[in-house]
Amino acid sequence: MIPYTHDVVVVGASIAGSATAAFFARAGARVALVERDPDPEAYKVACTHFLLASAVPVLDRLGVTDAMRAAGAVPNEIHIHTRWGWLRPTLKGAAAGHGYNLRRSVLDPLLRRTAAAEPRVDLLLGHTVEHLVRGDGRVAGVVARTRTGERIELRAPLVVGADGRASKTADLAEMPKRVKPHGRFSFFAHFRDLELATGSVSQMWLREPDVAYAFPNDAGVTVLCVMPALARLPEFRADMQGAFAREFAGLPDAPDLRAARQVSPIMGKVALPNVTRRAAAPGIALVGDAAMASDPLWGPGGSFALQAAEMLAREAAPALGDPRRLDHALDRYRRAHRRRFGAHHFLMADFSTGRPYNVVDRLMLHSAVVDERCADHFAAYGGRVISVSRFLAPAALARAGMAIARSGREHRRAQAAAAEPAAERRGGERASEAPARP
């Protein structure tokens, strides 16, 4: 019998790890929350700071939504510019809703404090996991090194890797993974006193294949981001500041960077591969980017992490006392994770290549521009509130096609109505110019 020190060891105390620790602790488990950074105020820098509507119920159940709003979180409605015009959801539909924009410098410490406040959570800052402990054919804990060089062994029937896209926990456990290439790179910066034409509503410009967006955040800070095609990387490396500013110049309803104060350097990532790993194996589970790192263009990372954390605790917490039951629960979590997020990830990874728009892209974006109901349907999908199968259901595709056809008819009628007075005026002018008959 392995002498366990905890019921769960969670590696990584950012969004995914903090939420996982809190949910397991509330289910009665004793949790070791292990974080290599010694600073309790540490946060992830490279992020869209965008939480989707699908994550809001989880935030509510964590009990942090009021604190987020008090910290200045901005409801993130979004307008998207396409070749057909602006897509402006009303968020009136049954599946409608908004998420929140809140900088990670505020959100990460808030979630970490929430987890640490649970009596059953031991927050271990400045601890770096070096090895996994194995026993009885399964993962059974970790060996961590403190900042002073001391090595401690934390044993538990469940280890959770919540340590990000480059998860060391997943690598130590040799979890199978798949990598799909990304056709864009990403650079962003923070600005103050930046006025948007949409006020506090986020903006995105889909420029095929390049993308730009403006996300208002807390404390009057707006995050501007550009995601150009990889072929343009030399342009940015030659003149980062100039290239960044030029991306916004001339955009419809573009923010005026000249009147704003840039309060951060331009930051970003060149390599943004789409990564999926097996989400669970005997004695170990992965949450957040450790399990699935999707295209950040759509802001899914933090939202999927929150949902996966709750999903894992719901499945695994009741079975922690029995290894066989636990491994069955972990397999259920693995399958549920794939069902909930797999199709979304597949489509995001496909779009991230920067390929030309396919017929479905054109259908759903165009219809969302010309029809309010289609716009709200697209917003529900973009917020990951509805499944891919519901988004692309035959009825939804038919409605989109009819909306485009109706819009075309209305446009032609308007053109004809505008042309009639002009034709009448030309006819009258010709009549007045004709010589009188004797």
Side-chain angles (χ1 to χ4, degrees):
M1 183 71 178
I2 298 172
Y4 293 128
T5 61
H6 295 81
D7 299 308
V8 185
V9 174
V10 180
V11 183
S14 191
I15 290 179
S18 295
T20 300
F23 279 124
F24 269 106
R26 292 174 188 180
R30 186 181 176 195
V31 183
L33 180 55
V34 183
E35 169 57 48
R36 67 180 180 181
D37 198 309
D39 183 3
E41 299 298 307
Y43 60 93
K44 183 179 179 180
V45 174
C47 185
T48 61
H49 311 284
F50 194 100
L51 290 172
L52 303 175
S54 57
V56 172
V58 183
L59 293 167
D60 288 342
R61 289 188 284 272
L62 270 176
V64 298
T65 315
D66 288 343
M68 289 173 59
R69 285 195 288 259
V74 178
N76 57 16
E77 299 177 50
I78 188 168
H79 292 173
I80 303 173
H81 190 267
T82 74
R83 68 168 86 163
W84 301 278
W86 282 103
L87 190 167
R88 296 185 173 95
T90 67
L91 304 185
K92 294 178 181 177
H98 62 75
Y100 288 101
N101 293 345
L102 184 64
R103 288 175 301 161
R104 296 290 292 271
S105 58
V106 179
L107 179 62
D108 287 14
L110 170 61
L111 293 178
R112 197 172 294 120
R113 287 193 297 271
T114 299
E118 294 293 330
R120 294 183 179 87
V121 172
D122 297 326
L123 176 59
L124 305 175
L125 298 175
H127 286 60
T128 302
V129 170
E130 295 187 329
H131 305 287
L132 295 182
V133 176
R134 297 180 182 273
D136 298 331
R138 59 203 314 279
V139 175
V142 304
V143 175
R145 177 175 47 81
T146 69
R147 296 187 72 200
T148 61
E150 178 187 3
R151 284 175 170 77
I152 63 171
E153 193 170 288
L154 302 166
R155 291 177 172 262
L158 175 60
V159 171
V160 179
D163 47 347
R165 179 186 290 265
S167 172
K168 183 176 181 179
T169 308
D171 289 344
L172 290 171
E174 299 180 341
M175 302 295 271
K177 72 177 180 180
R178 293 181 180 179
V179 179
K180 294 186 177 181
H182 199 296
R184 301 183 182 93
F185 59 94
S186 174
F187 288 113
F188 63 94
H190 297 182
F191 292 80
R192 290 189 188 274
D193 305 322
L194 182 67
E195 292 188 7
L196 300 182
T198 52
S200 62
V201 176
S202 297
Q203 293 174 287
M204 178 183 287
W205 294 266
L206 297 177
R207 302 176 63 197
E208 305 178 47
D210 302 341
V211 180
Y213 56 68
F215 290 164
N217 269 260
D218 56 287
V221 173
T222 298
V223 178
L224 296 186
C225 181
V226 297
M227 296 186 70
L230 279 172
R232 297 186 58 201
L233 186 57
E235 172 190 348
F236 277 77
R237 284 178 166 161
D239 178 17
M240 178 66 70
Q241 199 72 41
F244 189 90
R246 287 192 296 272
E247 283 299 283
F248 291 93
L251 291 177
D253 293 334
D256 186 357
L257 274 62
R258 296 170 300 178
R261 290 185 296 124
Q262 185 176 329
V263 294
S264 81
I266 296 175
M267 304 167 281
K269 290 188 174 182
V270 173
L272 295 166
N274 300 275
V275 181
T276 54
R277 293 184 177 89
R278 183 182 179 90
I284 187 167
L286 305 177
V287 293
D289 282 355
M292 178 178 287
S294 303
D295 182 8
L297 188 156
W298 304 105
S303 305
F304 285 1
L306 288 161
Q307 294 171 75
E310 184 177 40
M311 184 190 306
L312 175 60
R314 182 172 58 244
E315 291 288 353
L320 287 169
D322 183 335
R324 178 175 291 185
R325 283 186 60 213
L326 175 58
D327 289 343
H328 284 306
L330 293 178
D331 195 56
R332 288 196 302 272
Y333 163 72
R334 178 187 61 80
R335 288 183 276 114
H337 189 281
R338 184 176 57 194
R339 285 195 305 270
R340 176 65 182 87
F341 307 120
H344 284 286
H345 176 86
F346 176 85
L347 290 186
M348 285 187 282
D350 177 58
F351 190 82
S352 77
T353 62
R355 57 158 176 72
Y357 285 5
N358 60 34
V359 64
V360 175
D361 298 331
R362 295 193 296 271
L363 178 67
M364 302 311 279
L365 284 168
H366 188 176
S367 65
V369 169
V370 301
D371 182 84
E372 179 180 293
R373 188 177 175 191
C374 291
D376 284 345
H377 184 68
F378 187 91
Y381 167 69
R384 312 298 155 177
V385 175
I386 61 174
S387 65
V388 169
S389 60
R390 183 173 170 188
F391 176 57
L392 298 178
L397 296 175
R399 183 168 62 245
M402 289 187 292
I404 293 172
R406 182 174 61 251
S407 173
R409 290 193 298 270
E410 292 172 353
H411 179 68
R412 289 191 292 273
R413 282 198 295 266
Q415 283 185 318
E420 286 178 2
E424 291 174 359
R425 286 195 301 272
R426 288 194 298 272
E429 290 168 358
R430 286 194 295 271
S432 64
E433 293 170 0
R437 291 176 181 270

